[in-house]
Amino acid sequence: GEDVEQSLFLSVREGDSSVINCTYTDSSSTYLYWYKQEPGAGLQLLTYIFSNMDMKQDQRLTVLLNKKDKHLSLRIADTQTGDSAIYFCAESKEGGSEKLVFGKGMKLTVNP
Amino acid sequence: DSGVTQTPKHLITATGQRVTLRCSPRSGDLSVYWYQQSLDQGLQFLIQYYNGEERAKGNILERFSAQQFPDLHSELNLSSLELGDSALYFCASSAGPQRTNEKLFFGSGTQLSVL
């Protein structure tokens, strides 16, 4: 079945790197996504990775995918207080958004 | 600002009542999605419409229904409300169905409290 698991909380100091982890169960997932939710706002797509890739870098964000272990991570370099938010991992099978299955989200707190 | 507008932002009602949540997608987007976010269930996909037609259905209760109008705005109707329906309801939009790297743009949600 489809299931996406995430840790619930992470606290880091400003300037440190943050690593947010996610595991998924559906080996047929084709796209894996990271979304960010700030307080009082909707979800914002941060980045995504196609399942045939191992890594994707986008400015301060690095996504690593271990398809064998069904493990996805998001590394945020030089974490800023503005990065404080809830981060959701999501998967889809067909590259289509209607099949997105989300994790429950991980709250990142960045302390000055 | 994602360009997706949801109204109202907050809604407080009583059990047994019926409410309607409204969503206006980004200009030019034809697909509208509804999601329910609660503490215990996380973010659950409810239903998707594309250009007025239902396209995909998720964990939507029979007491809930949705539609997309010719001007592409969508409404989610929740009836016979129960305490457990209290949640944050998100609308999202995208350009079209199941294209590669289809990106969803989310509204800021309607917080529903059933008392």
Side-chain angles (χ1 to χ4, degrees):
Chain A
E2 300 170 333
D3 200 11
V4 178
E5 299 286 338
Q6 296 181 248
S7 302
L8 294 182
F9 302 100
L10 176 65
S11 182
V12 300
R13 286 186 308 179
E14 192 172 18
D16 288 351
S17 292
S18 307
V19 179
I20 303 168
N21 295 301
C22 170
T23 57
Y24 59 98
T25 56
D26 192 342
S27 57
S28 63
S29 296
T30 52
Y31 284 93
L32 294 133
Y33 304 81
W34 284 105
Y35 280 83
K36 175 184 180 184
Q37 184 181 26
E38 295 179 2
L43 277 72
Q44 172 196 354
L45 177 64
L46 285 178
T47 187
Y48 62 91
I49 189 167
F50 187 52
S51 59
N52 69 353
M53 297 168 64
D54 297 322
M55 186 184 89
K56 180 178 180 181
Q57 186 151 2
D58 183 1
Q59 299 182 334
R60 291 191 298 122
L61 305 178
T62 302
V63 180
L64 295 177
L65 175 60
N66 181 331
K67 201 172 177 186
K68 174 174 166 289
D69 294 338
K70 299 192 191 70
H71 182 264
L72 181 73
S73 68
L74 174 69
R75 179 177 179 269
I76 305 174
D78 187 25
T79 315
Q80 303 297 305
T81 53
D83 295 324
S84 293
I86 299 176
Y87 290 80
F88 291 89
C89 165
E91 63 171 356
S92 73
K93 279 198 276 192
E94 299 142 38
S97 300
E98 64 260 35
K99 299 294 184 186
L100 277 181
V101 176
F102 284 87
K104 291 196 176 178
M106 193 215 70
K107 184 173 182 179
L108 174 65
T109 301
V110 182
N111 301 303
Chain B
D1 183 10
S2 67
V4 178
T5 304
Q6 287 187 250
T7 56
K9 287 194 183 306
H10 303 277
L11 198 47
I12 301 174
T13 188
T15 54
Q17 294 298 305
R18 173 190 165 94
V19 297
T20 297
L21 312 184
R22 184 188 166 101
C23 169
S24 294
R26 284 190 327 152
S27 176
D29 282 356
L30 299 178
S31 274
V32 169
Y33 310 75
W34 286 98
Y35 282 84
Q36 179 194 58
Q37 185 180 30
S38 61
L39 283 175
D40 54 345
Q41 296 292 324
L43 203 64
Q44 298 283 322
F45 168 69
L46 295 178
I47 197 163
Q48 179 204 1
Y49 279 81
Y50 172 69
N51 205 20
E53 301 284 330
E54 182 185 305
R55 176 155 179 88
K57 214 165 185 176
N59 301 321
I60 188 166
L61 300 172
E62 283 192 16
R63 300 183 285 109
F64 296 0
S65 65
Q67 55 184 328
Q68 186 179 27
F69 295 87
D71 67 352
L72 301 176
H73 91 272
S74 178
E75 292 181 355
L76 179 67
N77 301 296
L78 315 176
S79 61
S80 303
L81 284 167
E82 301 175 1
L83 296 177
D85 298 327
S86 295
L88 188 54
Y89 290 83
F90 283 111
C91 170
S93 75
S94 69
Q98 288 194 296
R99 295 182 188 162
T100 304
N101 301 339
E102 185 75 356
K103 295 178 178 60
L104 261 64
F105 295 86
F106 280 80
S108 55
T110 293
Q111 180 67 59
L112 173 67
S113 299
V114 182
L115 306 178

